[in-house]
Amino acid sequence: MDTRLLRSFTAVAEDGSLSRAAERLFVSQPALTKQIRQLETLLGVRLFTRSRAGMALTEAGEALAGQAPALLAHWERALAATRGAAARAARVLRVGFMASAANEATQEIVTRFCALHPGWRVDMRQASWSEPTAGLADGSVDVALLRLPFPGQGDLRVEVLLTEPRCVALPAGHRLADREEIAFRDLWDEPYVAAAPETGGWRDYWLAADEREGRPVTVGAVTEHPDDWLSAIANGYGIALAPASAARFYARPGVVYRPVSGVSPSRVAIAWPPAADGDPVVRDFVRCCLDATSAPG
Amino acid sequence: MDTRLLRSFTAVAEDGSLSRAAERLFVSQPALTKQIRQLETLLGVRLFTRSRAGMALTEAGEALAGQAPALLAHWERALAATRGAAARAARVLRVGFMASAANEATQEIVTRFCALHPGWRVDMRQASWSEPTAGLADGSVDVALLRLPFPGQGDLRVEVLLTEPRCVALPAGHRLADREEIAFRDLWDEPYVAAAPETGGWRDYWLAADEREGRPVTVGAVTEHPDDWLSAIANGYGIALAPASAARFYARPGVVYRPVSGVSPSRVAIAWPPAADGDPVVRDFVRCCLDATSAPG
DNA sequence: CTGCATCTATAACCTGGAGGAATGGATGTG
DNA sequence: CACATCCATTCCTCCAGGTTATAGATGCAG
């Protein structure tokens, strides 16, 4: 049996319908019917009961559905570890990052690291905002420059590199756009451009959900990439809190950035998996991060 | 990627040769070459370096080879759990057993259990002697009637059901076949029919390796099933220690059984995985085992 | 109560995948 | 230098897997 059949099974289990799952997987309904039948034949077990109402999991199907996520994740991690080993052998350090990484310090970090490790290359990999660990969780990167807090943070080693105030990104024609500085309480009732709900605490943080005295947030749009985020703001779907450096790294016609008072600052950190503690290459990269962000300049 | 490619990869990694692995997997060498190529393309990584001397793993290949056994085992366990759920739903208790299981008590155990659980069926599954946990390790059975000690015993719950002396199985024409009882020390220099080396402590136990004052064992044959075991003895390839009940359950022309002094007795136990502690069906079966083997009769 | 919508299953067909046979290329050894 | 041995490539064949069309079953709305 292969992961393709397991993924198909998972999709049908989630949707409760062959037709809907087929649509989501971009295959025809008969093709998916055959795949599920093939899986049941291979296992010698009925996984679904069929009816006009769709596909309901049997007890065996429930058991497999319970196992499937961990199994598929195990596969992905194994493949990631294999790719990681290949990168290491080729003297490539894969660095995930969110948004502007460590701002201006990023280039210095890379320069310092390459000086320390001649022959090595740093592969910077930008992550979508729907994956706040920037690849650390699934093992597709070795270290990551991240904004705190993020989901899964407790499972990773973290060193704070720098702190910067947060500001607000507004459409250029916004009624508050002329202000030199805006109090956060004046922004409480605005609609916001937010990250995906499944990012949990990450999204809450960038909505400053815990810093508005219980006042609820209005979400005007959900985006996953900086470009989409900027477009949504420029188009007036909402405003967004951002690190102050966003004014430099994400300048865009139609978007203005203003300092905000009454909201906590943003922290940039370097993160890596505990299993990499003994890895001199990772240790040196972390050292370079700390050095590059502690010296004045 | 599927498990078939991963198994192919594993075979090539173990053999260090496409040609030999192809032979072992019963596919042609070009077919295996293409499979490995397909896997490397899917991963975007070189797994082997090729030469006239065969296939050597790259660092990425080493990484994958390190992960593969656990990954494949995870798959097997997930499938086993799925089949287990199907069996449970169908009110079937799958019982693995070695050799004669719990001897004459086995039928009473099943009878008591079915009386306690009307509508349930006990599926008795005999295991080869190369798998001393009789399916518990890979999850293909719910409980197992086993002979102690066995590999992996520490990971399972075990209740001893009965103890019986060990005897020796000899070819009928053996020079000691006329004895009423034979001292173990008189058997030390005989060749033995043994279990496979990978069964470890199990094989040592049945060779009474720890009860011969350091004298080494001579292995005359290795077998995995009772029939092969009996044939090997009858053909004079060696002798073997066996539970006393073997004389009743494995009577065979050409093989005689004689009591042996100076060797520890054999213990039959019921074993089950710790995860099944809270399962009333498993608990009841264990209860039936204990009840059936404690009453006189 | 009947017709229609909606769901899965089956049949027929087509294309591409995957295995085998034959053979090529490279290299080590006697 | 010839041969053996290893992996790679080419060509061929058959089957797997997807699609389209349609069948069968069933629930719901009028």
Side-chain angles (χ1 to χ4, degrees):
Chain A
M1 181 178 76
D2 64 14
T3 53
R4 179 179 63 88
L5 292 182
L6 193 60
R7 287 184 216 284
S8 299
F9 163 78
T10 300
V12 176
E14 283 169 5
D15 290 351
S17 157
L18 276 167
S19 306
R20 280 203 300 280
E23 195 171 336
R24 173 149 74 95
L25 297 174
F26 300 104
V27 296
S28 65
Q29 174 263 315
L32 198 49
T33 292
K34 289 184 201 173
Q35 287 178 25
I36 298 303
R37 273 300 184 72
Q38 183 181 356
L39 182 53
E40 287 177 326
T41 301
L42 274 162
L43 275 163
V45 150
R46 265 310 165 104
L47 297 169
F48 295 98
T49 55
R50 276 88 159 156
S51 74
R52 161 69 177 75
M55 308 279 278
L57 285 165
T58 60
E59 287 186 45
E62 293 278 3
L64 185 57
Q67 304 256 358
L71 194 47
L72 291 169
H74 193 169
W75 272 84
E76 292 308 321
R77 283 197 305 276
L79 304 198
T82 303
R83 292 188 179 106
R88 180 56 51 89
R91 297 180 172 215
V92 172
L93 185 72
R94 301 167 304 163
V95 180
F97 70 94
M98 296 284 293
S100 57
N103 299 337
E104 285 82 3
T106 311
Q107 190 49 59
E108 185 173 346
I109 291 168
V110 174
T111 301
R112 283 174 182 254
F113 174 81
C114 289
L116 204 57
H117 283 268
W120 275 73
R121 185 165 67 80
V122 173
D123 196 5
M124 302 295 295
R125 298 181 180 190
Q126 184 164 21
S128 80
W129 293 358
S130 58
E131 218 294 83
T133 74
L136 280 178
D138 67 15
S140 54
V141 299
D142 302 301
V143 297
L145 291 159
L146 304 174
R147 295 272 166 174
L148 307 186
F150 60 90
Q153 184 174 332
D155 300 325
L156 297 170
R157 301 279 192 253
V158 168
E159 290 279 357
V160 173
L161 300 179
L162 58 86
T163 297
E164 63 179 317
R166 283 199 271 183
C167 64
V168 61
L170 304 161
H174 194 275
R175 62 184 176 84
L176 297 175
D178 292 337
R179 298 258 194 108
E180 288 295 306
E181 179 174 290
I182 305 170
F184 185 45
R185 73 174 48 249
D186 291 339
L187 299 168
W188 284 356
D189 295 327
E190 298 284 335
Y192 280 73
V193 177
E198 55 266 22
T199 60
W202 164 262
R203 164 178 153 121
D204 286 344
Y205 178 77
W206 286 103
L207 296 173
D210 298 334
E211 297 177 73
R212 49 173 62 238
E213 292 174 19
R215 300 288 287 269
V217 185
T218 302
V219 173
V222 173
T223 62
E224 289 204 357
H225 282 285
D227 278 349
D228 300 334
W229 178 78
L230 287 166
S231 294
I233 296 167
N235 290 339
Y237 297 135
I239 67 170
L241 293 176
S245 55
R248 303 192 294 283
F249 286 86
Y250 291 103
R252 169 75 60 98
V255 176
V256 301
Y257 296 88
R258 294 289 179 262
V260 172
S261 60
V263 76
S264 61
S266 170
R267 291 174 296 154
V268 173
I270 180 71
W272 68 99
D277 279 342
D279 184 339
V281 175
V282 166
R283 194 164 53 226
D284 284 344
F285 188 81
V286 172
R287 166 68 55 81
C288 291
C289 289
L290 292 166
D291 288 347
T293 51
S294 67
Chain B
M1 180 177 74
D2 67 13
T3 52
R4 180 178 60 88
L5 292 182
L6 192 59
R7 287 183 217 283
S8 297
F9 163 78
T10 300
V12 177
E14 284 169 6
D15 290 352
S17 158
L18 276 168
S19 306
R20 282 205 298 282
E23 195 170 335
R24 173 147 75 95
L25 296 174
F26 300 103
V27 296
S28 66
Q29 175 262 317
L32 195 50
T33 291
K34 293 179 199 172
Q35 287 178 25
I36 298 303
R37 274 301 185 72
Q38 183 181 357
L39 181 52
E40 287 177 326
T41 301
L42 274 162
L43 274 163
V45 150
R46 264 310 163 104
L47 297 169
F48 294 99
T49 55
R50 275 88 159 159
S51 75
R52 160 71 173 76
M55 308 278 278
L57 286 165
T58 60
E59 288 187 46
E62 294 278 2
L64 185 58
Q67 305 256 358
L71 196 47
L72 291 169
H74 194 167
W75 272 83
E76 293 307 319
R77 283 197 302 277
L79 304 197
T82 304
R83 292 187 179 106
R88 181 56 52 90
R91 296 177 170 217
V92 172
L93 186 72
R94 301 166 305 161
V95 180
F97 70 93
M98 297 285 293
S100 58
N103 301 337
E104 284 83 3
T106 311
Q107 191 49 58
E108 185 173 347
I109 292 168
V110 173
T111 301
R112 280 173 181 255
F113 175 79
C114 289
L116 205 57
H117 283 268
W120 275 74
R121 183 166 68 81
V122 173
D123 195 4
M124 301 295 295
R125 299 181 181 190
Q126 184 165 22
S128 79
W129 292 358
S130 58
E131 218 293 82
T133 74
L136 280 178
D138 67 16
S140 55
V141 299
D142 302 303
V143 297
L145 292 158
L146 305 174
R147 296 271 167 174
L148 305 186
F150 61 90
Q153 183 173 332
D155 302 324
L156 298 169
R157 300 282 192 249
V158 168
E159 292 280 356
V160 174
L161 301 179
L162 59 86
T163 297
E164 63 178 317
R166 283 199 273 182
C167 64
V168 61
L170 304 161
H174 194 275
R175 64 186 175 82
L176 296 174
D178 293 336
R179 297 255 193 111
E180 287 296 306
E181 178 174 289
I182 304 170
F184 185 46
R185 72 174 47 252
D186 291 339
L187 299 168
W188 283 354
D189 294 327
E190 298 284 336
Y192 281 71
V193 178
E198 56 267 21
T199 59
W202 164 262
R203 164 179 155 124
D204 286 345
Y205 178 77
W206 286 104
L207 296 172
D210 297 334
E211 296 176 72
R212 49 172 62 238
E213 295 174 17
R215 299 287 286 270
V217 186
T218 303
V219 174
V222 173
T223 63
E224 291 206 357
H225 283 285
D227 277 349
D228 299 335
W229 179 77
L230 287 165
S231 295
I233 295 166
N235 291 338
Y237 298 136
I239 67 171
L241 293 175
S245 54
R248 303 192 295 284
F249 286 84
Y250 292 101
R252 168 76 60 101
V255 177
V256 301
Y257 296 88
R258 295 289 182 263
V260 171
S261 60
V263 76
S264 62
S266 170
R267 291 173 298 155
V268 174
I270 179 70
W272 67 100
D277 279 343
D279 184 337
V281 175
V282 166
R283 192 164 54 230
D284 284 344
F285 188 81
V286 173
R287 167 67 56 80
C288 290
C289 290
L290 291 165
D291 288 347
T293 51
S294 67

